[in-house]
Amino acid sequence: MLKKDWWKSAVIYQIYPRSFQDSNGDGIGDIKGIIGRMEYLGRLGIGAIWLSPVCKSPQKDNGYDISDYQDIDLMFGNIEDMENLINEAKKYNIRIMMDLVLNHTSDKHRWFEEARKSKDNPYHDYYIWRDGEEGVLPNDVKAVFGGSAWTWEPSLKQYYFHQFLPEQPDLNWENPKVRKEIYDMILWWMKKGVGGFRLDVIDQIAKEPDLGITINGPRLHEYFRELSKETFQKGDLITVGEAWGADIERAKLYSNPDGSEFSMVFQFEHIGLDQEEGKEKWDVVPLPFLKLKEVMSHWQRELHNCGWNSLFWNNHDLPRIVSRWGNDKEYRVESAKMLAILLHGMQGTPYIYQGEELGMTNVRYDIEDYRDVEIHNMYKARIEAGYDKEDVMNSIYAKGRDNARTPMQWDDSENAGFTDGTPWIKVNDNYKEINAKSQVDDENSIFNCYRQLIKFRKEYPVFVDGDFTLLLADDENIFAYKREYAGKSMVVVCNFYGQTIDMPLTEECKDMELLISNYAKGDEAVLRPYEARILSLIHISEPTRLGMIS
Ligand code: TEU
Ligand code: CA
């Protein structure tokens, strides 16, 4: 492995700043709060933090609507706080990755305020406009958060294009001036010592609105290569492109080992299984387990040696995995660890979303306690369309983005140690049981399971470089696979469900040592509910053995 590929053995931790740690009692997490929790993150052993947006923003979409890329929102702190964060993190060998929202800006960005002044304003072409008539939409392209993707600007008698909220107008990437402004801004952050970038909905920048093309537009990879050359390649950065629309062939371009685009791709095919073809995300369907195995294995095999994947179950847009595909009741701890072990044994760079390392769960709030604009837009639309209120609420419980956005649960004090004030969104009321304080010193905790997995990835090349073979492809309960590298091999076996079953791989694992498991030693010939094991022929060094979780 080349030294520049340090991120292949690192684990990335995503922080959603407004929900991580408040430092001044206003109920909103902030940068100083993150600095105060650096020791916790250092202890976990992560290599980088992906920080959801902290730039200046009217917060219509919690910071994914940026009004100034080169300033920090007052709510989170200021530029000096950001510089302190970068330097503090460095002490723990942690890099800060910023979230670059380049598909759109806020409608309060100076560029858009200029752009909407007149058709010949120099900034007009920074956005996408179509002449028209009020009430007659240019076409029927829909916005992700509901409604049309076109909004009427009366003073110009034009529509502008937005794939998300009307307050998030899409940038016109065809305009070289836009691209140049973006590169200058990125170089400015690089000079400040930022260690990398996560690129928000980057597969949507090359749109062709008239043709109804929003994702994977014709010039997409041309833009990526220019962006990478003009910015990222001038430093030692880790970059990851968010791409709901990337299939394997495209993903190989995103993460081309020649470094021409990004370090890695963040694709969602496994997550997409939680949604039925042709239906909306809100229509809840059962997990197609065999399909999950097939999809994840396919990516493992196909990107081996020709690309690099992100490994994740969660982010700030997704429900808590232990509540979706684990069991957040009697087997919460076991299933949270199983999901962690399953993922961290694969090839790619793992991502942990804040609280995942504690087994934080989904919530069930009254509608007025939710904060996400997407939830409220959907609720309104479905109630108006005559849906049953109970069904609508069940969709929100299962899929709502606020499941991931409740405050981080630090301890069992009021508001879970997140804030001294009133939190911007309610704390999950299970915080007395589920919190960091009760887990960091408990060697059997979910936190320490993650810590151990992160350590393995740094110690054993087979985790990073090994090839992948799916075992027991047709087994309806077990997800098992083998990794091999330079004569060393390991087997990962996970019981994905809540019944005790036979362990069919005893022969395969005969001479192997247990590296990690989520249960105390028991009958090797069975797998208990959600039991997971990593077995290996790696020669385990003494310190690792001591740190082993049983
Ligand atoms: O999300 C991209 C996106 O389209 C989805 O994740 C979407 O938010 C989700 O499917 C809705 O159910 C990115 C960010 O991660 C998200 O938080 C932002 O809202 C969005 O872009 C716009 O910037
Ligand atoms: Ca605050």
Side-chain angles (χ1 to χ4, degrees):
M1 206 196 322
L2 294 168
K3 196 182 151 275
K4 77 173 182 30
D5 290 351
W6 63 273
W7 38 265
K8 289 192 171 171
S9 57
V11 172
I12 296 172
Y13 188 91
Q14 186 191 351
I15 290 184
Y16 197 63
R18 60 163 53 227
S19 302
F20 193 65
Q21 177 69 64
D22 179 21
S23 73
N24 62 352
D26 67 354
I28 302 168
D30 44 54
I31 296 174
K32 283 205 174 88
I34 301 172
I35 295 174
R37 293 294 184 181
M38 207 46 81
E39 203 195 314
Y40 171 87
L41 299 168
R43 191 155 164 179
L44 193 54
I46 54 160
I49 292 170
W50 151 20
L51 194 63
S52 276
V54 288
C55 289
K56 197 157 180 252
S57 159
Q59 305 287 327
K60 296 282 179 202
D61 185 23
N62 290 0
Y64 285 90
D65 49 321
I66 292 176
S67 56
D68 188 346
Y69 291 103
Q70 283 163 263
D71 203 356
I72 299 295
D73 199 280
L74 271 180
M75 147 191 311
F76 297 125
N78 53 38
I79 291 281
E80 202 190 322
D81 294 331
M82 192 63 200
E83 288 166 345
N84 291 340
L85 175 65
I86 293 168
N87 292 328
E88 277 306 306
K90 225 177 250 156
K91 296 183 188 156
Y92 293 87
N93 254 323
I94 296 173
R95 307 201 190 199
I96 302 293
M97 294 165 72
M98 290 191 74
D99 208 323
L100 279 178
V101 188
L102 305 179
N103 177 67
H104 45 269
T105 66
S106 159
D107 63 336
K108 297 289 179 292
H109 194 289
R110 186 176 55 89
W111 301 339
F112 192 72
E113 290 189 329
E114 286 296 318
R116 75 190 331 172
K117 279 183 185 161
S118 75
K119 287 185 193 172
D120 43 48
N121 187 288
Y123 290 92
H124 191 68
D125 279 348
Y126 275 42
Y127 297 87
I128 298 165
W129 303 90
R130 293 292 176 267
D131 291 333
E133 211 181 292
E134 187 169 12
V136 187
L137 298 167
N139 59 30
D140 60 3
V141 179
K142 296 271 176 288
V144 174
F145 299 141
S148 169
W150 298 100
T151 288
W152 180 245
E153 175 59 51
S155 64
L156 299 179
K157 295 204 177 342
Q158 284 190 315
Y159 283 94
Y160 67 88
F161 184 69
H162 55 88
Q163 299 187 60
F164 295 89
L165 297 173
E167 293 90 349
Q168 293 167 299
D170 271 46
L171 282 166
N172 176 16
W173 271 72
E174 281 187 14
N175 183 345
K177 281 197 229 142
V178 169
R179 304 204 298 273
K180 175 79 171 56
E181 297 253 22
I182 287 173
Y183 306 153
D184 290 346
M185 174 274 286
I186 294 173
L187 291 169
W188 183 85
W189 277 115
M190 283 169 63
K191 266 212 201 107
K192 295 222 172 285
V194 162
F197 298 98
R198 176 260 187 183
L199 296 119
D200 188 61
V201 290
I202 202 69
D203 55 345
Q204 292 176 227
I205 60 171
K207 49 251 157 187
E208 294 280 349
D210 302 315
L211 306 176
I213 299 173
T214 53
I215 288 178
N216 297 334
R219 296 183 68 185
L220 189 66
H221 293 275
E222 175 198 327
Y223 293 151
F224 289 176
R225 285 189 293 267
E226 186 185 276
L227 164 66
S228 175
K229 187 161 150 280
E230 296 297 330
T231 61
F232 311 141
Q233 290 174 36
K234 299 184 177 177
D236 167 30
L237 291 181
I238 169 175
T239 53
V240 52
E242 186 200 23
W244 283 82
D247 60 10
I248 285 179
E249 286 319 306
R250 235 173 235 288
K252 288 180 188 167
L253 298 175
Y254 272 74
S255 58
N256 195 325
D258 72 6
S260 56
E261 296 192 8
F262 312 126
S263 314
M264 66 186 93
V265 63
F266 199 94
Q267 57 77 29
F268 293 79
E269 194 177 352
H270 61 303
I271 297 293
L273 298 175
D274 204 14
Q275 183 174 325
E276 218 164 357
E277 194 79 46
K279 291 211 169 167
E280 285 183 53
K281 97 167 202 180
W282 301 105
D283 303 313
V284 182
V285 293
L287 169 67
F289 179 59
L290 292 180
K291 194 84 203 176
L292 178 74
K293 294 206 281 187
E294 187 191 310
V295 164
M296 291 181 99
S297 311
H298 190 208
W299 281 90
Q300 287 290 303
R301 283 191 304 266
E302 291 292 322
L303 289 196
H304 187 63
N305 288 335
C306 47
W308 197 256
N309 208 355
S310 305
L311 304 169
F312 69 97
W313 292 123
N314 276 109
N315 70 20
H316 62 292
D317 294 331
L318 301 172
R320 294 282 179 181
I321 197 64
V322 71
S323 299
R324 284 301 291 156
W325 293 348
N327 174 325
D328 65 6
K329 306 214 162 50
E330 63 269 45
Y331 295 116
R332 186 184 63 86
V333 175
E334 290 80 0
S335 64
K337 290 181 186 171
M338 181 277 286
L339 290 161
I341 290 170
L342 178 61
L343 202 71
H344 284 71
M346 291 187 179
Q347 185 168 51
T349 296
Y351 285 69
I352 302 171
Y353 177 72
Q354 66 184 43
E356 182 181 345
E357 77 283 13
L358 306 173
M360 276 177 62
T361 67
N362 281 357
V363 286
R364 288 168 171 248
Y365 291 163
D366 294 334
I367 186 68
E368 58 274 13
D369 289 328
Y370 288 101
R371 296 287 173 266
D372 184 15
V373 62
E374 185 193 38
I375 290 180
H376 287 285
N377 286 355
M378 180 283 278
Y379 180 85
K380 228 178 120 227
R382 288 208 163 183
I383 294 292
E384 272 166 19
Y387 280 73
D388 188 52
K389 174 161 180 198
E390 202 182 310
D391 290 343
V392 178
M393 291 313 294
N394 280 332
S395 298
I396 297 173
Y397 303 154
K399 298 282 193 78
R401 301 195 297 180
D402 280 343
N403 282 308
R405 300 176 179 185
T406 64
M408 180 72 176
Q409 293 164 211
W410 292 106
D411 57 40
D412 60 2
S413 70
E414 209 186 337
N415 293 322
F418 165 69
T419 180
D420 296 334
T422 309
W424 70 276
I425 185 170
K426 270 174 66 174
V427 177
N428 188 329
D429 58 20
N430 62 20
Y431 71 93
K432 290 205 191 270
E433 183 207 340
I434 304 172
N435 61 65
K437 192 166 168 233
S438 67
Q439 293 198 29
V440 281
D441 294 323
D442 171 4
E443 68 167 43
N444 284 318
S445 65
I446 304 170
F447 176 89
N448 275 307
C449 178
Y450 273 94
R451 209 182 113 250
Q452 193 67 59
L453 290 166
I454 292 170
K455 211 158 141 247
F456 287 155
R457 296 192 63 95
K458 291 184 207 153
E459 283 171 5
Y460 304 127
V462 66
F463 277 82
V464 179
D465 295 315
D467 62 16
F468 178 99
T469 313
L470 182 68
L471 305 173
L472 309 171
D474 300 324
D475 192 293
E476 312 247 357
N477 299 293
I478 299 173
F479 199 144
Y481 58 88
K482 188 174 185 162
R483 303 279 312 274
E484 283 172 291
Y485 178 70
K488 308 268 164 85
S489 65
M490 69 174 195
V491 169
V492 179
V493 196
C494 298
N495 178 359
F496 218 84
Y497 293 97
Q499 286 84 38
T500 299
I501 50 174
D502 288 339
M503 155 75 174
L505 293 168
T506 41
E507 194 49 35
E508 182 96 29
C509 302
K510 205 167 65 223
D511 301 318
M512 294 191 158
E513 276 187 78
L514 185 67
L515 199 57
I516 190 168
S517 164
N518 55 350
Y519 272 92
K521 225 174 165 42
D523 183 353
E524 280 171 22
V526 299
L527 289 170
R528 286 159 282 183
Y530 299 98
E531 183 160 354
R533 297 180 196 154
I534 300 185
L535 298 134
S536 79
L537 286 176
I538 308 163
H539 300 290
I540 306 168
S541 59
E542 274 313 306
T544 308
R545 196 195 283 266
L546 286 175
M548 192 175 92
I549 292 160
S550 54

